[in-house]
């Protein structure tokens, strides 16, 4: 083929990148050998399957590490094959790759102490050690064999790199050379973007550490799937977790009772259906706005409103995060997210007591339903970490005729599918449902165009559609034998488009509904106390009769008379802590202000008054932050 097409250059580039894949595989094998007593794998086939799953994570790490090398290899400069250019290219390739590769070797020894791949948090903790040189010499002395293995691998990597070289090429046809190079440059660029993200799907965010848990049988297998360079890259800039001190444990215990134990006796365990509504702000629901004093208010949820009349509702509830994945940990495990999502942190794969673990202990069959492509939002990975027995996504639904073309299966047909699957379960069961349609780009099925009020925002008709989908789901479920013995919980992951000024206020931007419904009407009323997503977990532990200690910063909304109601929210920069008559606003290091609980817009700072109540709120807020950070970092997210 014409040398102007640069085919030989692209072949050599592919060979050099494949070398990285090969040595990442070697590192994975050695990692397992060093830690096989901690990660029991039944067969060679099982190990190779994990290695295959790891290719996606290897691709991300390898592409990040080699971005400059790839760019300089493919950019058309005419001198790319010259000996001097290739010598420079060698060092640009080998130095970053060996540095990244070396981090894998840290975990040959370090994993035994952390049970997780090293991350930016690990490196930062080492950086805080005053005797780094002494630690290094000690590490070399104790683990000389690891350094030797790295040296051997580095030697062979360099040897194999130099085995295939490019002969200098001259006399190109300039038109062919540059035109084909531009096309190749674009194609390679697109492939790099997909490789770094993990795939090309619009609905899937870039892969993170929790995605390694998507397809594994045991949580510890995720550490075989992962590689250390990926772990460090993905946690770079994402570690806002640090140990805290200064607040007495007695204060934390009195304010939050982090270890809870309820003694409710339940003869027949109720089924649980937990519905997390995508972006369905409290603003849209009429029954949650009766006392808001909003002039000419209009709601868009006639079915939810009718259900609320027979439910226990909390019209003063708030989300504990800003994104869908934040809601997963807040609602299902009682772990809120501050500046950094807990699920995006290097600590997300640790053993965690949760609603799912508690229900599994009591013999529940647990399922997670989300109509988006499997892996979307990181849900399937985190669901696996939590221990769900089953995951049902777009793949399991298996009918693309009901696909909205962007996010997932339309809510109405997917909720019908959920009812069918739940009806096959042995009781007691628990199903978590995460809807998808009430989301940008704010579209509904064509057959329903004009059926729901357009309202004032694009979101409003989508809210009407999802409300209708819930109506059809409840009508179908009411005919099933399991319905009467089921507790339904409804909330939202976060808020969305805002129309009313009341919800433009900073605190109300986090306002979501929380509703508990039991067909036997054992849960009724309107509770206006401060409530938040992390209260759902302890409430369901209480209602199902879980009678062992468990870790929770929330409270049972139906029986807890010890813990005083409060709510926290975080806007990505500052934490808002609400209790009694005050809202305290806190940055990482400073107290920014105190506001009357009715001042949801945070317009009048009362900080200068310096009251006792303010001091108590400040101590509680810092105490919460301290217990939250320390339990996560120390791996104490369980009572046992």
């Amino acid at each position: 083929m014409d040398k102007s097409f640069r085919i030989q250059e692209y072949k050599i580039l592919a060979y050099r990148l494949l070398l990285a894949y090969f040595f990442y595989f070697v590192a994975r094998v050695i990692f397992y050998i060093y830690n096989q007593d901690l990660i029991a794998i039944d067969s060679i086939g099982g190990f190779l399957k994990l290695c295959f799953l790891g290719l996606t994570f290897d691709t991300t790490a390898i592409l990040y590490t080699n971005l400059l090398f790839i760019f300089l290899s493919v950019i058309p400069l005419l001198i790319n094959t010259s000996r001097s250019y290739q010598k420079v290219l060698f060092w640009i390739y080998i130095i970053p790759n060996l540095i990244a590769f070396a981090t894998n070797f840290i975990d040959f020894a370090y994993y035994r102490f952390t049970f997780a791949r090293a991350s930016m948090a690990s490196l930062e903790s080492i950086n805080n050690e005053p005797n780094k040189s002494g630690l290094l010499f000690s590490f070399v002395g104790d683990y000389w064999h690891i350094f030797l293995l790295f040296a051997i691998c580095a030697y062979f990597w360099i040897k194999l790199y130099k085995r295939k070289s490019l002969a200098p090429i001259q006399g190109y046809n300039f038109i062919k050379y540059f035109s084909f190079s531009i096309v190749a440059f674009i194609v390679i660029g697109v492939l790099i973007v997909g490789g770094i993200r993990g795939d090309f799907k619009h609905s899937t965010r870039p892969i993170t550490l929790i995605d390694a848990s998507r397809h594994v049988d045991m949580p510890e297998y995720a550490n075989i799937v992962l590689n250390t360079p990926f772990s460090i890259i993905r946690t770079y800039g994402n570690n806002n977790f640090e140990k805290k001190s200064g607040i007495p444990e007695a204060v934390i215990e009195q304010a939050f009772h982090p270890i809870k134990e309820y003694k409710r006796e339940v003869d027949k365990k109720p089924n649980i259906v937990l519905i997390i509504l995508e972006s369905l702000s409290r603003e849209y629901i009429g029954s949650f706005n009766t006392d808001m004093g909003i002039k000419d208010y209009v709601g868009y949820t006639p079915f939810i409103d009718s259900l609320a009349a027979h439910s226990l509702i909390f019209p003063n509830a708030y989300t504990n995060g800003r994104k869908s994945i934040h809601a997963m940990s807040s609602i299902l495990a009682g772990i809120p997210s501050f500046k950094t999502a807990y699920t995006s942190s290097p600590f997300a794969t640790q053993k965690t007591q949760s609603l799912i673990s508690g229900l599994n202990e009591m013999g529940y069959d647990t399922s997670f339903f989300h109509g988006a492509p499997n892996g979307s939002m990181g849900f399937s990975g985190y669901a696996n970490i939590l221990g769900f027995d089953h995951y049902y996504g777009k793949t399991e639904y298996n009918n693309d005729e009901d696909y909205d073309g962007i996010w997932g299966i339309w809510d109405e047909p997917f909720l019908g599918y959920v009812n069918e699957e739940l009806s096959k379960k042995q009781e007691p069961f628990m199903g978590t449902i995460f809807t998808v349609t009430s989301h940008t780009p704010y579209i509904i099925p064509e057959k329903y165009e004009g059926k729901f009020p357009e309202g004032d925002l694009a979101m409003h008709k989508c809210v009407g559609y999802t409300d209708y989908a819930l109506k059809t789901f409840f009508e179908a479920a009411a005919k099933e034998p399991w319905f009467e013995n089921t507790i339904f919980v409804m909330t939202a992951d976060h808020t969305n488009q805002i129309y009313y000024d009341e919800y433009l206020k900073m605190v109300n931007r986090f306002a979501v509904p929380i509703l508990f419904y039991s067909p036997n009407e054992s849960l009724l009323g309107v509770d206006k106390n401060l409530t938040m997503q992390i209260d759902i977990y302890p409430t369901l532990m209480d209602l199902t009769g879980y009678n062992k200690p468990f870790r929770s910063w929330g409270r049972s909304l139906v029986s807890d008379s010890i813990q005083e109601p409060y709510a926290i929210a975080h806007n990505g920069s500052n934490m808002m802590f609400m209790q009694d008559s005050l809202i305290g606003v806190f940055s990482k290091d400073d107290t920014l202000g105190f506001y009357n609980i009715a001042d949801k817009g945070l317009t009048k700072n009362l900080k200068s008054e310096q009251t006792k109540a303010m001091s108590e709120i400040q101590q509680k807020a810092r105490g919460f932050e301290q217990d939250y950070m320390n339990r996560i970092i120390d791996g104490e997210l369980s009572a046992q």
Side-chain angles (χ1 to χ4, degrees), residues 231-251:
S231 178
I232 292 171
I233 290 167
R234 278 292 189 248
T235 57
Y236 179 77
N238 280 337
N239 181 37
N240 290 287
F241 291 83
E242 57 183 36
K243 295 272 283 186
K244 301 284 185 178
S245 61
I247 305 299
E249 290 299 318
V251 172

Side-chain angles (χ1 to χ4, degrees), residues 201-204 372-373 376 403-408 439-443:
K201 296 175 184 175
H202 167 78
S203 60
T204 308
S376 176
Y403 179 47
D404 66 12
I406 297 176
W407 288 111
H439 198 292
T440 180
Y442 309 117
I443 55 175

Side-chain angles (χ1 to χ4, degrees), residues 507 576-586 592-607 614 617:
V507 175
M576 295 174 285
F577 189 101
M578 296 173 267
Q579 192 171 57
D580 295 329
S581 62
L582 287 173
I583 303 170
V585 181
F586 307 91
L592 302 181
F594 292 97
Y595 304 83
N596 186 282
I597 194 70
D599 185 7
K600 297 298 195 295
L602 308 180
T603 58
K604 186 178 180 181
N605 196 336
L606 308 174
K607 183 180 178 181
M614 291 177 185
I617 290 290

Side-chain angles (χ1 to χ4, degrees), residues 201-217:
K201 296 175 184 175
H202 167 78
S203 60
T204 308
R205 53 94 179 106
I207 55 172
T208 63
L209 273 65
I210 63 171
D211 289 290
S213 299
R214 281 176 56 192
H215 304 296
V216 299
D217 299 323

Side-chain angles (χ1 to χ4, degrees), residues 58 155 171 272 295 308 354 360 413 415 445 465 480 485 514 564:
D58 293 351
Y155 170 80
I272 303 295
K295 185 180 179 181
S354 68
N360 285 343
L415 286 173
Y465 168 74
E480 301 296 339
N485 187 42
I514 292 181
E564 195 175 346

Side-chain angles (χ1 to χ4, degrees), residues 442-472:
Y442 309 117
I443 55 175
I444 62 175
E446 287 186 16
K447 66 179 180 179
Y448 289 122
E449 287 293 342
K451 179 177 175 65
F452 308 107
E454 291 288 329
D456 298 289
L457 300 171
M459 178 69 168
H460 287 160
K461 67 176 182 294
C462 298
V463 172
Y465 168 74
T466 294
D467 181 74
Y468 175 76
L470 288 169
K471 178 176 181 288
T472 62

Side-chain angles (χ1 to χ4, degrees), residues 146-201:
I146 292 177
F147 285 84
L148 178 61
L149 284 170
F150 173 74
I152 293 170
C153 289
Y155 170 80
F156 280 105
W157 194 336
I158 294 169
K159 193 85 171 173
L160 289 170
Y161 179 98
K162 292 183 174 181
R163 186 174 181 180
K164 289 188 178 293
S165 59
L166 274 170
I169 301 173
Q170 295 179 336
Y172 296 109
N173 179 307
F174 286 0
I175 294 176
K176 291 180 180 179
Y177 179 85
F178 285 106
S179 59
F180 190 81
S181 294
I182 291 170
V183 172
F185 190 87
I186 294 170
V187 171
I188 291 170
V190 171
L191 292 175
I192 287 173
V193 170
I196 286 176
R197 284 179 52 84
D199 63 31
F200 291 94
K201 296 175 184 175

